[in-house]
Amino acid sequence: MTVKELTAEEKLRLICGKDSWHTVDLDGKIPSVCVSDGPVGLRKSEMDEKGNWVRDLPAVAYPALHVLANSWSRECAREMGESLADDCKEQNVDILLAPGVNIKRNPLNGRNFEYFSEDPLLAGTLAYEYIDGLQSKGVGACLKHYYVNNREYNRLDQSSEVDERTLRELYLKPFELACKAKPISAMCAYNRINGVYASENAKGFRILRDEFGFDGAIISDWGAVHDRTASAKAGLDLEMPFHEGNYEKLVADYKAGKITDEEIDACAERVLRLAERCEKMREGRKAERTVEERFAVARKIAEEGIVLLKNEGVLPLSPGQSISVSGYFAAPEAFGKISGGGSAMVQWRGEKFNLADILRKKTGGEVRYTRAFWERGVLCDSRQAEIDAAECDVCVICAGTGSDIESEGYDRGDMRLPQWEEESILRLSKRNPNTVVVLFTGSAVDVSAWADGVAGIVYAGFCGEQGGEAVARVLTGEVNPSGKLSETFPVSYEDVPVSWADNDPCVARYEEGLDVGYRYYDTYDVRVSFPFGFGLSYSEFVYSALKVKASGDKAEVSFTVKNAGGPAGREVSQLYIRPIAAYVHRPAQELKAFTKQQILPGKNVKVKFGLTTADFAYYSTAVDGWRTDDGLYEIAVGASSREIFLRALVKIEGGNISFVKELKDEFAF
Ligand code: BGC
């Protein structure tokens, strides 16, 4: 069928949804599409006959995307997509409203747990795998929220004011990379971009389609359309959910000649294609993985995404040690509390976990549990917690935030843990030098008040319903931690450039430009609590034998990583590029390649990364395009943005790369 076979009325109806979660079928003429949230697990809503929400159906709650990002694992991202497809297929959902790839400009953004990273390469690469995994199994993705949607405060109206270069290099880049997976849909954001609503941002839609090769349908965020006519003219294909007033106004505008047939046809055609693609994907639809197998995927992602931030000889726990466990987050009372709130919140399908019980089974030693504080940081039975901490060999405190503090719709008030959680950590760590804090938060935390006084910190994040088992395995050493931070932990919020940007309720001025995350901290040598890319292991990895083979516009960088001590483990190796004496302002370094390798004890793994001159480029507003300047660049390889072990100097001249020399102790910036 083509749009030519539809009446004008049908076309107008087609580009406005049917209800909250479906598109229209035009009296059976075309297939209706069913969409559902979200990134962390399926949130299919049960509705009554009148279309009112009844409840969200339980589904596998995977780790949130920030934990997936901390895994730095393409394989995990792909498996998460594939496994989510099974959840969707069971519930007849055609399109999962995920993933979100917005850059973490501000650690306080309420939706950071739904997003991947402060770095566009990491975000875009993992989103690519997630989308490809999902779509390869017959369920469509919806890439969101397009774009510069980086805070929740006044999210429906605020304007993100950003210069073009920053847009291209940071905020659009993950969308560009994710589009290579050909998502069948994308969702526009709520906010305005330089004054124009994202739903009416013709320029943004043109970039998406013409430059990033997006060939799906663009859907509005729920309630993001202010003027259906203006949004359709700009290229927004489908308004969701159905909004009677907007639809009637669109019909009136059409009759008044304010929107042309060509403009309506363009949107209707794309919605029609979307419906046909979804119908095709439904063929032979059947879940491949059992629920147990999906739980195993969720656990694997959590295990690979948990980051060991500090370990002064306390971990892994030894068999038979007595352990005092405290904190609400060790035994979440209500489903979904170890999670952010809003549309990404999933009703856990399995059992609630209790970390103390899991640890008791694993260690065989005495394990006590005292809650000590509730999820909002209210103190309770703290006296007993202190006694337990004092008497046991190890004290494990499970602190965090949860959906009351981190959620769609609002931002966190500050970067610190709730006061009574900090207070508990301070009190209990005084009673036991072997105190380990496990952090269940959706974004970076200011740990400065208590980190020095504890022996271990494990960042579990919103690790999903299998998170309890995953945390226990990391604590006991059954799993060698391999997660690394996809987001810097600054010392305090005052160190984050956005905290001193000139923001008001209506306008977010991105004055810091490219100085976001490590691009800022590393350029200005700002002290951080834990740098981007950082994470400890129970093994020691040694980097050596850097080689750069350059030819024409390409270079191959190879090096060796050895597991020099400890059990088998996985190491995330990172490659950064550092321009030397650049003509324009450039961040001191930018991530350009990464890989995660399993390395057996005493063994070596050879890593190879391919680079081209495009990897050295910046976005030039002088030429309205990407540009690689001739000059010297350092290639830096290591375990985090601040643990660089191998460095080489290369030269770019006339579009060709040549190797200059290996750098040892010389400072390049
Ligand atoms: C959120 C989207 C979500 C949609 C549907 C909106 O409020 O911003 O991410 O997919 O609701 O629930």
Side-chain angles (χ1 to χ4, degrees), residues 469-584:
E469 178 70 26
V471 167
R473 285 177 176 222
V474 166
L475 293 177
T476 56
E478 219 175 304
V479 163
N480 191 353
S482 63
K484 299 218 177 179
L485 290 180
S486 51
E487 171 191 22
T488 309
F489 272 44
V491 174
S492 74
Y493 186 57
E494 286 66 47
D495 293 329
V496 186
V498 72
S499 73
W500 10 279
D502 178 18
N503 289 321
D504 64 41
C506 299
V507 181
R509 297 186 183 85
Y510 288 48
E511 288 165 344
E512 74 289 348
L514 295 169
D515 287 336
V516 172
Y518 72 88
R519 282 171 169 71
Y520 165 70
Y521 306 114
D522 293 351
T523 303
Y524 299 96
D525 212 6
V526 178
R527 197 164 69 86
V528 298
S529 288
F530 302 108
F532 176 77
F534 174 78
L536 300 168
S537 160
Y538 296 144
S539 306
E540 189 202 343
F541 298 107
V542 175
Y543 287 67
S544 65
L546 178 70
K547 286 201 180 57
V548 179
K549 273 197 238 154
S551 154
D553 66 348
K554 295 189 180 55
E556 185 191 88
V557 179
S558 65
F559 54 93
T560 300
V561 187
K562 180 174 184 177
N563 184 341
R570 286 169 206 271
E571 169 67 344
V572 175
S573 307
Q574 301 154 42
L575 182 153
Y576 296 84
I577 282 181
R578 302 166 166 178
I580 292 171
Y583 294 112
V584 297

Side-chain angles (χ1 to χ4, degrees), residues 154-172:
N154 199 20
R155 65 175 176 163
L156 300 183
D157 281 308
Q158 66 99 13
S159 178
S160 300
E161 309 273 320
V162 201
D163 69 88
E164 188 66 18
R165 179 173 170 204
T166 304
L167 281 178
R168 298 289 185 149
E169 289 187 25
L170 272 186
Y171 297 101
L172 282 168

Side-chain angles (χ1 to χ4, degrees), residues 224-240:
V225 171
H226 300 263
D227 178 336
R228 185 64 189 105
T229 306
S231 65
K233 284 169 103 62
L236 180 97
D237 301 318
L238 174 66
E239 176 179 7
M240 286 297 288

Side-chain angles (χ1 to χ4, degrees), residues 357-664:
D357 289 346
I358 305 174
L359 284 175
R360 198 171 296 119
K361 275 194 209 118
K362 286 193 188 295
T363 65
E366 185 194 357
V367 181
R368 305 183 193 172
Y369 175 63
T370 315
R371 187 172 294 116
F373 50 82
W374 291 96
E375 89 269 26
R376 295 224 59 170
V378 180
L379 205 59
C380 61
D381 51 19
S382 63
R383 198 176 154 267
Q384 188 57 47
E386 276 190 69
I387 293 169
D388 291 345
E391 285 181 351
C392 289
D393 297 327
V394 184
C395 166
V396 175
I397 307 171
C398 296
T401 49
S403 55
D404 291 342
I405 294 176
E406 296 193 58
S407 173
E408 172 180 348
Y410 45 86
D411 297 315
R412 261 193 305 172
D414 71 73
M415 248 179 68
R416 291 175 67 162
L417 289 172
Q419 190 189 349
W420 286 113
E421 295 195 18
E422 284 197 348
E423 182 66 28
S424 292
I425 296 171
L426 291 170
R427 281 192 203 183
L428 300 184
S429 57
K430 274 207 192 94
R431 302 285 165 230
N432 192 324
N434 291 327
T435 292
V436 177
V437 174
V438 185
L439 283 174
F440 296 89
T441 64
S443 195
V445 176
D446 173 347
V447 299
S448 56
W450 49 266
D452 287 347
V454 302
I457 305 176
V458 174
Y459 182 37
F462 292 154
C463 47
E465 62 181 295
Q466 295 296 312
E469 178 70 26
V471 167
R473 285 177 176 222
V474 166
L475 293 177
T476 56
E478 219 175 304
V479 163
N480 191 353
S482 63
K484 299 218 177 179
L485 290 180
S486 51
E487 171 191 22
T488 309
F489 272 44
V491 174
S492 74
Y493 186 57
E494 286 66 47
D495 293 329
V496 186
V498 72
S499 73
W500 10 279
D502 178 18
N503 289 321
D504 64 41
C506 299
V507 181
R509 297 186 183 85
Y510 288 48
E511 288 165 344
E512 74 289 348
L514 295 169
D515 287 336
V516 172
Y518 72 88
R519 282 171 169 71
Y520 165 70
Y521 306 114
D522 293 351
T523 303
Y524 299 96
D525 212 6
V526 178
R527 197 164 69 86
V528 298
S529 288
F530 302 108
F532 176 77
F534 174 78
L536 300 168
S537 160
Y538 296 144
S539 306
E540 189 202 343
F541 298 107
V542 175
Y543 287 67
S544 65
L546 178 70
K547 286 201 180 57
V548 179
K549 273 197 238 154
S551 154
D553 66 348
K554 295 189 180 55
E556 185 191 88
V557 179
S558 65
F559 54 93
T560 300
V561 187
K562 180 174 184 177
N563 184 341
R570 286 169 206 271
E571 169 67 344
V572 175
S573 307
Q574 301 154 42
L575 182 153
Y576 296 84
I577 282 181
R578 302 166 166 178
I580 292 171
Y583 294 112
V584 297
H585 167 73
R586 302 208 50 183
Q589 55 180 1
E590 291 181 273
L591 181 74
K592 291 295 167 182
F594 63 89
T595 186
K596 188 170 193 175
Q597 309 269 350
Q598 162 87 6
I599 315 178
L600 297 175
K603 297 282 181 212
N604 288 323
V605 160
K606 188 161 179 179
V607 177
K608 273 189 197 160
F609 290 131
L611 297 173
T612 71
T613 45
D615 290 307
F616 299 77
Y618 63 95
Y619 190 85
S620 163
T621 45
V623 299
D624 278 338
W626 294 90
R627 183 186 161 114
T628 303
D629 285 338
D630 281 358
L632 287 176
Y633 297 85
E634 189 182 320
I635 290 172
V637 169
S640 79
S641 84
R642 298 240 171 138
E643 295 159 287
I644 298 300
F645 303 121
L646 306 170
R647 292 155 60 210
L649 199 61
V650 297
K651 188 185 230 170
I652 299 190
E653 219 165 16
N656 292 316
I657 312 178
S658 59
F659 171 68
V660 179
K661 62 175 177 174
E662 189 170 350
L663 297 168
K664 292 292 178 193

Side-chain angles (χ1 to χ4, degrees), residues 276-413:
E276 285 173 357
R277 284 171 86 171
C278 287
E279 189 185 40
K280 189 145 197 312
M281 293 209 304
R282 270 177 223 153
E283 283 165 15
R285 173 178 281 177
K286 195 170 163 294
E288 290 173 21
R289 288 175 164 90
T290 62
V291 174
E292 283 309 317
E293 285 167 342
R294 280 173 256 161
F295 282 153
V297 171
R299 199 192 68 216
K300 175 181 164 181
I301 298 165
E303 286 171 358
E304 291 213 27
I306 290 171
V307 189
L308 180 60
L309 292 175
K310 179 173 181 181
N311 186 17
E312 289 184 348
V314 64
L315 294 174
L317 302 170
S318 308
Q321 274 180 320
S322 59
I323 308 166
S324 88
V325 178
S326 51
Y328 167 83
F329 295 93
E333 310 287 314
F335 274 177
K337 278 294 183 185
I338 294 189
S339 138
S343 61
M345 188 157 171
V346 178
Q347 298 302 312
W348 293 11
R349 183 164 185 165
E351 298 288 310
K352 290 178 262 190
F353 63 73
N354 181 319
L355 189 63
D357 289 346
I358 305 174
L359 284 175
R360 198 171 296 119
K361 275 194 209 118
K362 286 193 188 295
T363 65
E366 185 194 357
V367 181
R368 305 183 193 172
Y369 175 63
T370 315
R371 187 172 294 116
F373 50 82
W374 291 96
E375 89 269 26
R376 295 224 59 170
V378 180
L379 205 59
C380 61
D381 51 19
S382 63
R383 198 176 154 267
Q384 188 57 47
E386 276 190 69
I387 293 169
D388 291 345
E391 285 181 351
C392 289
D393 297 327
V394 184
C395 166
V396 175
I397 307 171
C398 296
T401 49
S403 55
D404 291 342
I405 294 176
E406 296 193 58
S407 173
E408 172 180 348
Y410 45 86
D411 297 315
R412 261 193 305 172

